[in-house]
Each structure stands twice: as C-alpha cells, then as structure tokens.
Amino acid sequence: MDFNVKKLASGAGLFFTRAVQFTEEKLGQAEKTELDAHFENLMSRADCTKHWTEKIFRQTEVLLQPNPIDHTGARIEEFFYEKLDMKAPSRVTNGELLGKYMEDAAKEFGSETPYGSTLIKVGECERRLGAAEREFLQTSAISFLTPLRNFLEGDWRTISKERRLLENLRLDLDACKTRLKKAKLAEAKAAMVPDFQETRPRNYVLSASASALWTEEVEKAEHELRVAQTEFDRQAEVTRLLLEGISSTHVNHLRCLNEFVEAQAAYYKQCHFHMQELQKELGRLPNAFALNSTPSVAPAGSASEGITSPVETETLKIEEVQAPATGTRKAKVLYDYDAADSSELSLLADELITVYTVPGMDSDWLIGERGNQKGKVPVTYLELLS
C-alpha cells in the first residue's frame, strides 16, 4: 500500500512538472528543445499520410457500401464476427436481389409471355452483375481497404504512442535544463564573497554552508540532465526510425492502389460485357407490341385481294431490299454488335451507317447500309442523327 502511494505521488509530481514546463513554454518563460528540420519534416509527412489515408479509407467504404444504414450494419456485423474469430457470411448484393425479384415475377406472369421472358433475361443479367459486384467488393476489401485499416489501427497507433512518449521526455529534459540553470544561478549568488566589515561572522558561515548545498544541487541537476538527455536521444532515434518507415507505407499503399484499380477495371468490363449480351438477347426476342396487334383483314373482292406486302418480315430478303428515294438517315453506332445470321449487319462502335425502314418490318429493327454491305440492325444500338 505504501509503495502504491509513493508511486502515485511520484507520478503526480512528474505530471505536475511537465504541466508547469509546458505552460511556461507557451507563455515564453522557458526554453524549448527544438527538433532538427529533418525530424520535423518526417513528422509533418506522417501527419499528412495519416490524414489522407483516413479520408481515402472512409470514402472508399462509402463507395463500396453507399447506403449509410447498410454500411453501419455491415461494419457492426463484421466487428462481431471478428471478435468471435469467425468469417462473416457473404451478403447478397442489390443486383442479385433485383434479379431474384424479376425471376419470381416472371414465374407469376408466365415465362412464355413476352414480358415474362424479358424479365427472365434481365433478371439473369442482374444476377450476373450482382455476382460481379460481390467479387469486386471482396477483392477491394482484401487488397485495398484492409492494408489502409491496418496502417491506421496498427502502425499509426504505434507512431502516435512513441511520439507522445518523446514529447514527455522532451518536457522532462527541458525541466532538467531549467532546474540546472536555476541551481547554477543560486550557486553563483551564494559563492559571492561577503564584506566582513558589513557582515557578521555568523552570516558568513551560513553563506558558506548555502554555497556548499547549492554546489551539491548543481551536481544532482547535472546528473538528472545527463540521464534525461540519454533517454530523450534514445526515444528520438526510435521515433525517427518509425517515421522513416512512412516511405515503405507509401510503397505498400501504391501497390494496393494499383490492385484496386485493376479490380475496378475488371468489374466494369464484366458489367459492360453482360449489358451488351443482354441487349443482344433482348433484340432477338419477339416484339410484344407486334404480337399483340391484330392485322387488318381486307374485304373479299377488294382491289387488295391476292396482293401481298412488298416486304414480309418472315420472308425478308436483304439483297432484294432497295433504299428508298427519301427517308434515309445517318446513324451512329453506340455498341459493337455481332450479326446473328446472314440477314443482319455486324456493327462497330462509333461508326456511321445509313439506315432506313421498309414496310412490314419490325419496329425494333432498321435496314443498315455500309458501303456494299447491307443488313438488319437493332434500333437500340443506334443513335439516329439529323
């Protein structure tokens, strides 16, 4: 019990000494040991690294999990699984959930109907997009978020702890310098030779005794200063090594950033591919509006009896189709398109072609011409120009 009280009193005295030294430095009443310029630059660079790493980490989390409510819930779930030393289960993405709803709706509406069959195609695509998103989230969390979090929760905490210890040792060092300075001034004052004509012998004896005491105090202060200087120098070297390690942190974060970019590029490439495939599949599905429309029946004996349309969709022969004198337009191709059969025209993104319609043709298609090549092209792949 006595030991604890003494330790507590010693700690309180040390804290009070540091507080006094810190206050006097702020008031300009005490000298402060300044670190060299290189050391200050290292600390400034470390602070900058921590600041921007934290911002990038938080915003990347928001990017990967935009919904704040879902984000908070996910972090809490991950925290509990981490404390239990268990792997968190894979969560269903919004795209996968949307795909499931579309497929369930198609079963209710009938998978053979135009709307139901389209829902199935889109639902399958949304599932694939959701799976690609989940893979991207997992890859980004492992290759990018985890190293940033490890730096903030591991390396930076160690650096902060050592810097606080260095600052405390600096305050102790400067306090020792202040005590030594005061002791030397008192020793010099006590060592001044008194005037025997004006000073009593008794006061002279007391002055000599005080001078001896101050000499002993100076020696004690010099010893404490040497010890404080040694501890400060040792801690400064430890902190310097940790701060110089920030360069290695930058190299590691650079590698993680490249991996994040590669994962993001692969994710968007997969999404683009799936959407292109979906557009092709939707272009091949029957037109719901054409199926639901009822063709008009010409009365018997009319002039149109026995006369068929010049061009029929089922019997369309591309080589026999002629461009009309008027009504042709230029169109810009938005996406690459591979022809499904000989009646279609393959397209390349950003190229310009001539398009026009023919009677009886599905409204989702146009006739496209490029030089000597001619064929059907889907409207959804084109941007019509004036």
Side-chain angles (χ1 to χ4, degrees):
M1 183 65 182
D2 294 340
F3 173 78
N4 292 335
V5 172
K6 291 180 180 179
K7 185 177 181 180
L8 180 62
S10 176
L14 186 61
F15 176 80
F16 177 75
T17 302
R18 291 171 178 172
V20 170
Q21 178 65 28
F22 180 80
T23 303
E24 290 180 349
E25 288 176 358
K26 291 299 181 181
L27 296 176
Q29 299 176 356
E31 296 181 0
K32 177 181 178 181
T33 300
E34 298 292 343
L35 300 170
D36 60 86
H38 176 64
F39 200 99
E40 293 287 351
N41 289 334
L42 288 176
M43 289 199 297
S44 177
R45 188 162 177 253
D47 290 334
C48 185
T49 300
K50 183 261 181 182
H51 172 74
W52 288 111
T53 300
E54 195 171 38
K55 277 186 171 293
I56 293 172
F57 175 78
R58 300 303 178 196
Q59 192 58 34
T60 305
E61 280 191 324
V62 173
L63 173 67
L64 300 180
Q65 189 68 52
N67 191 327
I69 298 178
D70 294 344
H71 171 68
T72 304
R75 294 290 295 132
I76 294 176
E77 182 183 16
E78 291 175 0
F79 173 78
F80 278 111
Y81 275 100
E82 182 180 352
K83 293 303 180 183
L84 295 174
D85 198 18
M86 297 174 60
K87 182 179 180 181
S90 179
R91 289 185 294 274
V92 178
T93 61
N94 293 328
E96 291 175 308
L97 193 58
L98 175 60
K100 180 180 182 302
Y101 290 162
M102 287 184 173
E103 293 175 351
D104 292 343
K107 294 178 182 178
E108 293 290 334
F109 299 143
S111 59
E112 302 301 325
T113 63
Y115 184 39
S117 60
T118 304
L119 278 173
I120 290 178
K121 294 294 183 183
V122 178
E124 291 175 352
C125 180
E126 292 296 336
R127 278 182 177 271
R128 289 192 290 268
L129 293 174
E133 180 186 4
R134 185 174 67 253
E135 182 180 356
F136 167 61
L137 295 178
Q138 293 174 349
T139 303
S140 300
I142 295 173
S143 63
F144 189 60
L145 284 181
T146 299
L148 297 186
R149 183 187 296 112
N150 290 341
F151 168 73
L152 293 172
E153 297 180 356
D155 295 348
W156 180 251
R157 287 186 178 180
T158 302
I159 292 174
S160 299
K161 178 182 177 181
E162 297 301 328
R163 284 177 61 178
R164 287 194 300 269
L165 180 57
L166 178 64
E167 178 65 12
N168 289 336
L169 292 178
R170 186 198 63 77
L171 290 173
D172 294 343
L173 175 63
D174 290 337
C176 289
K177 290 180 179 179
T178 302
R179 284 197 297 270
L180 177 60
K181 184 178 180 179
K182 292 179 179 180
K184 285 185 175 181
L185 289 175
E187 181 189 29
K189 185 177 180 180
M192 294 177 62
V193 179
D195 188 352
F196 288 100
Q197 296 179 353
E198 299 179 358
T199 306
R200 298 179 180 178
R202 181 172 177 274
N203 292 339
Y204 176 77
V205 172
L206 293 176
S207 177
S209 176
S211 177
L213 291 175
W214 281 116
T215 300
E216 182 180 352
E217 186 67 23
V218 168
E219 293 176 354
K220 180 181 178 183
E222 288 176 344
H223 173 72
E224 291 178 351
L225 178 60
R226 287 193 296 270
V227 172
Q229 185 70 56
T230 301
E231 293 179 352
F232 174 79
D233 292 341
R234 185 187 300 113
Q235 184 59 33
E237 184 62 24
V238 171
T239 308
R240 184 192 301 273
L241 292 175
L242 290 174
L243 293 175
E244 289 176 347
I246 292 294
S247 297
S248 300
T249 299
H250 284 189
V251 174
N252 182 40
H253 288 183
L254 175 60
R255 177 183 57 81
C256 297
L257 182 61
N258 287 326
E259 293 180 1
F260 174 68
V261 171
E262 292 177 1
Q264 199 170 28
Y267 167 61
Y268 287 129
K269 183 177 180 180
Q270 285 182 336
C271 292
H272 181 65
F273 173 77
H274 292 322
M275 292 307 300
Q276 281 189 316
E277 292 298 312
L278 176 62
Q279 285 185 316
K280 292 179 183 179
E281 292 181 3
L282 294 183
R284 298 189 185 102
L285 291 177
N287 189 341
F289 301 102
L291 292 176
N292 292 334
S293 61
T294 304
S296 58
V297 180
S302 64
S304 62
E305 185 176 359
I307 301 176
T308 59
S309 174
V311 181
E312 294 292 341
T313 305
E314 291 78 6
T315 60
L316 181 64
K317 295 182 179 180
I318 298 299
E319 62 274 8
E320 298 178 359
V321 175
Q322 299 296 327
T326 61
T328 60
R329 301 179 64 178
K330 290 291 184 180
K332 179 182 179 182
V333 179
L334 300 177
Y335 318 102
D336 293 344
Y337 178 75
D338 296 328
D341 52 48
S342 59
S343 66
E344 298 180 6
L345 180 66
S346 296
L347 303 175
L348 295 175
D350 297 330
E351 70 173 329
L352 295 178
I353 62 174
T354 302
V355 296
Y356 52 87
T357 61
V358 295
M361 189 174 181
D362 191 339
S363 60
D364 288 341
W365 295 83
L366 294 173
I367 300 296
E369 289 188 1
R370 180 182 57 230
N372 296 328
Q373 297 179 333
K374 183 189 303 182
K376 296 190 302 180
V377 294
V379 176
T380 54
Y381 279 68
L382 304 174
E383 177 185 356
L384 298 178
L385 306 176
S386 57

